[in-house]
Amino acid sequence: MKMSAFERQEAKRAAILPVGDRFSAPAGKLLLMAFGVILMVLVAACSGSTPKLSRLPADAVVLAFGDSLTYGTGTQAETSYPAVLEKLIGRTVASAGVPGEVSAAGLARLPEALDEYQPALLILCHGGNDFLRKLGDAQAAENLRAMIRVAKQRGIEVVLIAVPKPGLPPSPPDFYAEIAREFKLPYEDGALTAILRDRELKSDVAHPNAKGYAELAAAVAEVLKKSGAI
């Protein structure tokens, strides 16, 4: 079938048009919508890498809550991670660490500590003694979830620190990351693991030394910066 002179002219014109101009208006709109959705997903993925916190006022109290790792076993009080963190972030950091405490006891103790210190932010580092006493990961995980709920019910934001489980090499159980995702918490997952794998940073198999606690404090301060708290 022969084309008319007009049809041949239009065909030539279409062949040299930019690709975008050859689509119909509805098709073009669909492509733009698809591109927009992809862009939003990428932006959300990038912005969601570190959950955000409210900025801490200069007079805010931060409560570091946990066991011997928070208490500072293996060093002096002034070189424990809460003491070093206080200097790094310019806010009061109260230390409420009890050596040897298991997560169930921490859960029972937390409400009183929150009443006493009235913190704007809770830094939760717990579970290590559950591992040492072989009480089971599930129990530690549920007690951590319960502690987070207690804080959030009072309007207190939470940062979670993963505690490595003894092993060769020591590494944190998966439930820490799962809890952080579940509650959308800023999360420090690597500092203690790296410290307890380095002989120069630990005082014994389960505790950092002064240098190690300084490394932990710096890692927590970085999480607070990325989350917008400081």
Side-chain angles (χ1 to χ4, degrees):
M1 180 176 178
K2 293 183 178 180
M3 296 194 302
S4 66
F6 174 78
E7 289 171 332
R8 287 196 298 273
Q9 184 178 356
E10 288 299 302
K12 289 179 182 178
R13 178 176 174 275
I16 63 174
L17 282 174
V19 174
D21 291 347
R22 299 180 204 171
F23 291 104
S24 65
K29 288 180 180 179
L30 287 173
L31 282 173
L32 287 173
M33 289 173 62
F35 178 76
V37 169
I38 292 170
L39 184 61
M40 286 189 291
V41 169
L42 290 174
V43 170
C46 292
S47 63
S49 58
T50 301
K52 298 303 178 184
L53 296 172
S54 302
R55 187 164 183 84
L56 290 168
D59 61 350
V61 174
V62 175
L63 178 61
F65 187 87
D67 49 33
S68 56
L69 293 170
T70 300
Y71 178 82
T73 297
T75 191
Q76 304 298 314
E78 60 269 21
T79 50
S80 65
Y81 105 76
V84 178
L85 181 64
E86 181 172 88
K87 296 174 183 176
L88 292 176
I89 67 173
R91 274 53 166 198
T92 298
V93 179
S95 178
V98 175
E101 182 177 75
V102 297
S103 61
L107 174 58
R109 181 171 62 92
L110 180 60
E112 183 178 350
L114 296 178
D115 288 340
E116 178 179 354
Y117 294 104
Q118 296 292 308
L121 175 67
L122 173 70
I123 300 176
L124 184 58
C125 179
H126 225 305
N129 289 303
D130 292 64
F131 308 149
L132 292 172
R133 299 185 188 188
K134 303 185 185 304
L135 299 179
D137 291 3
Q139 175 176 302
E142 285 312 304
N143 287 332
L144 283 170
R145 286 185 173 92
M147 284 187 252
I148 293 163
R149 292 188 188 102
V150 168
K152 284 186 167 291
Q153 287 167 1
R154 298 174 181 230
I156 299 166
E157 295 182 301
V158 181
V159 169
L160 183 64
I161 299 175
V163 179
K165 194 172 184 178
L168 294 173
S171 59
D174 292 340
F175 71 72
Y176 284 101
E178 292 166 2
I179 290 172
R181 286 192 297 269
E182 179 183 340
F183 289 93
K184 297 180 175 60
L185 304 179
Y187 172 50
E188 209 307 301
D189 63 341
L192 276 173
T193 299
I195 291 163
L196 294 179
R197 292 180 182 182
D198 189 335
R199 291 183 180 180
E200 293 187 0
L201 298 177
K202 60 185 182 179
S203 61
D204 60 39
V205 69
H207 300 100
N209 56 24
K211 189 176 178 181
Y213 282 120
E215 293 281 336
L216 177 58
V220 174
E222 185 63 24
V223 171
L224 296 181
K225 288 177 184 175
K226 287 182 178 179
S227 68
I230 57 172

